Amino acid sequence: MPPGPKPPGYRAEAPPDDAERPADAPVPLTVPARDVTLVTRSEPVAVAYVGSGPPTYDAEPTALPAADPDDLGDLVADTVLDGARYGACTLRAASVRGDSARFRGEPRRDSLLTARFGSGEDALVLVAMATGARATPGAHRAAAEACEWIGRAVGRSHVRLAEDIRAARRGDLKSGLHRLTDRSLGKLRASAAEQGVEPEEYTAGLRCLLLPADPECRTRVFFGIGVGGLFRLRDGEWQDIEPRVAATTGAPVVGFGSLPHETPEGDRLTMDLGIATPPSPYEPAPAPPHDPFRFRASVARPGDTLLLCTAGLADPLRGEPQLAEHLTARWATGEPPGLAAFLADTQVRVKGYADDRTAAAVWEA
């Protein structure tokens, strides 16, 4: 039988070595050379999982977290789903409890916040997602608190942030968002001290996306601390554009204040180099070393799809090529899916990956 058609984003050749690639050049998510059959939007067939076989856990929740009758507000829903359309972009966001937590009756450690500050073309949309520390009893509370604090900080500064984004003041954005992030996580350390627990037991990774409602502004700003993924689907090919944070020596790294200041795709961007900032006034005591601050501001093109996610989705997307193939087939048309379809796409299961999944995707008109 002759080989079938190759999927969008197919690359038979090996990617260039890191040593030959600019420090912040997008990394394509490559697909091994083999025949595959993809599900397309014109043939809506349900896909429960991809990979070598079905995951170990059941596909649906089997146990609820234990409830305290005097603290029902502490309960966390299994799934959160949201979406909106502003300016030139359409947003879809979801947070789903992982298979492992569903089986054990544990709460979702991921938290998701979507918020609009301001109105009209001056509005600013924030997507914040946080993941609490593994194997700690208050992980879900720490994640929710991290989203709440960064939401308050961004909301109070949204006018200036929107102006800086439109004016492409990347240096001001980077330093300002770094301070807001540090102070927000400093609140968690203060809360840990109040509870009498160690800071590492009440903390969270935090990843955020800022989207201006102005249709003339296509700058998308990512910032945060902790592991996860930032990907872009462009021209039918996934690119891993997660900012690198390793210390460097020698020639300047692509970014603000260095040359060249653009990627081969024409994106003007900046990224953090792990430069320390003064301690936050919110910290009650000298804090343990922070994870590196990550920042990227890039200009979207019509037809792009930008995906921000926690490690629960980033890890299988990097580790299982069939998941990247499936999402390419679903999303490469440029038409944003409905809320239910987006939820189905983002929770396609992969054996060996059972953590919570939180994702926000932006389709550019």
Side-chain angles (χ1 to χ4, degrees):
M1 178 181 295
K6 297 300 185 292
Y10 176 89
R11 290 170 60 98
E13 71 275 10
D17 294 334
D18 289 342
E20 299 175 359
R21 185 188 299 119
D24 195 49
V27 180
L29 296 183
T30 58
V31 178
R34 67 173 183 273
D35 296 336
V36 296
T37 301
L38 294 179
V39 177
T40 65
R41 293 183 63 87
S42 60
E43 301 175 0
V45 178
V47 175
Y49 66 87
V50 296
S52 59
T56 303
Y57 298 103
D58 290 338
E60 299 297 335
T62 56
L64 292 171
D68 180 350
D70 296 320
D71 191 15
L72 295 180
D74 190 48
L75 294 178
V76 181
D78 176 271
T79 300
V80 175
L81 186 62
D82 208 351
R85 179 177 296 171
Y86 286 100
C89 65
T90 298
L91 170 68
R92 298 287 183 260
S95 184
V96 182
R97 189 162 53 134
D99 289 348
S100 176
R102 285 175 163 182
F103 176 77
R104 293 183 171 86
E106 298 172 349
R108 176 166 47 89
R109 291 186 299 120
D110 278 7
S111 184
L112 173 66
L113 170 69
T114 53
R116 171 180 59 87
F117 302 107
S119 60
E121 294 185 357
D122 295 328
L124 185 65
V125 175
L126 166 70
V127 180
M129 55 187 69
T131 301
R134 190 183 297 275
T136 57
H140 61 293
R141 289 190 291 270
E145 192 173 339
C147 288
E148 178 182 355
W149 284 118
I150 197 64
R152 289 184 181 182
V154 169
R156 291 167 178 166
S157 305
H158 78 273
V159 174
R160 173 63 185 274
L161 288 170
E163 291 175 352
D164 286 346
I165 292 174
R166 284 195 294 266
R169 301 187 187 106
R170 287 164 169 77
D172 291 343
L173 281 168
K174 179 181 172 183
S175 60
L177 292 171
H178 196 165
R179 286 193 298 271
L180 294 183
T181 302
D182 189 60
R183 290 178 179 178
S184 297
L185 296 181
K187 291 283 191 178
L188 289 186
R189 290 185 285 274
S191 184
E194 293 174 358
Q195 299 175 47
V197 299
E198 295 298 322
E200 60 270 16
E201 296 180 6
Y202 196 79
T203 188
L206 179 65
R207 305 172 68 79
C208 304
L209 193 63
L210 293 178
L211 307 170
D214 185 350
E216 300 301 320
C217 180
R218 287 190 179 267
T219 302
R220 313 296 179 230
V221 177
F222 157 73
F223 67 97
I225 287 176
V227 297
L230 181 66
F231 306 94
R232 179 173 58 206
L233 181 58
R234 173 175 286 177
D235 298 329
E237 180 178 289
W238 282 106
Q239 299 171 334
D240 190 342
I241 59 173
E242 176 79 4
R244 301 179 186 179
V245 294
T248 58
T249 58
V253 175
V254 174
F256 185 83
S258 65
L259 294 174
H261 57 279
E262 294 185 356
T263 68
E265 291 78 18
D267 291 339
R268 297 177 60 86
L269 54 91
T270 62
M271 56 186 297
D272 187 72
L273 305 179
I275 301 173
T277 56
S280 167
Y282 292 95
E283 295 173 2
H290 299 307
D291 288 331
F293 178 72
R294 301 173 187 269
F295 175 91
R296 178 161 187 159
S298 59
V299 178
R301 293 181 184 175
D304 281 356
T305 300
L306 185 67
L307 175 65
L308 174 66
C309 54
T310 58
L313 181 58
D315 290 348
L317 190 56
R318 293 186 176 110
E320 177 48 67
Q322 288 188 25
L323 181 58
E325 295 168 11
H326 176 70
L327 293 183
T328 299
R330 296 287 292 172
W331 296 352
T333 63
E335 291 295 326
L339 292 179
F342 176 75
L343 177 61
D345 291 340
T346 54
Q347 65 178 356
V348 171
R349 303 162 73 230
V350 182
K351 187 174 183 178
Y353 300 94
D355 285 342
D356 297 349
R357 289 187 180 182
T358 302
V362 179
W363 277 261
E364 299 291 339

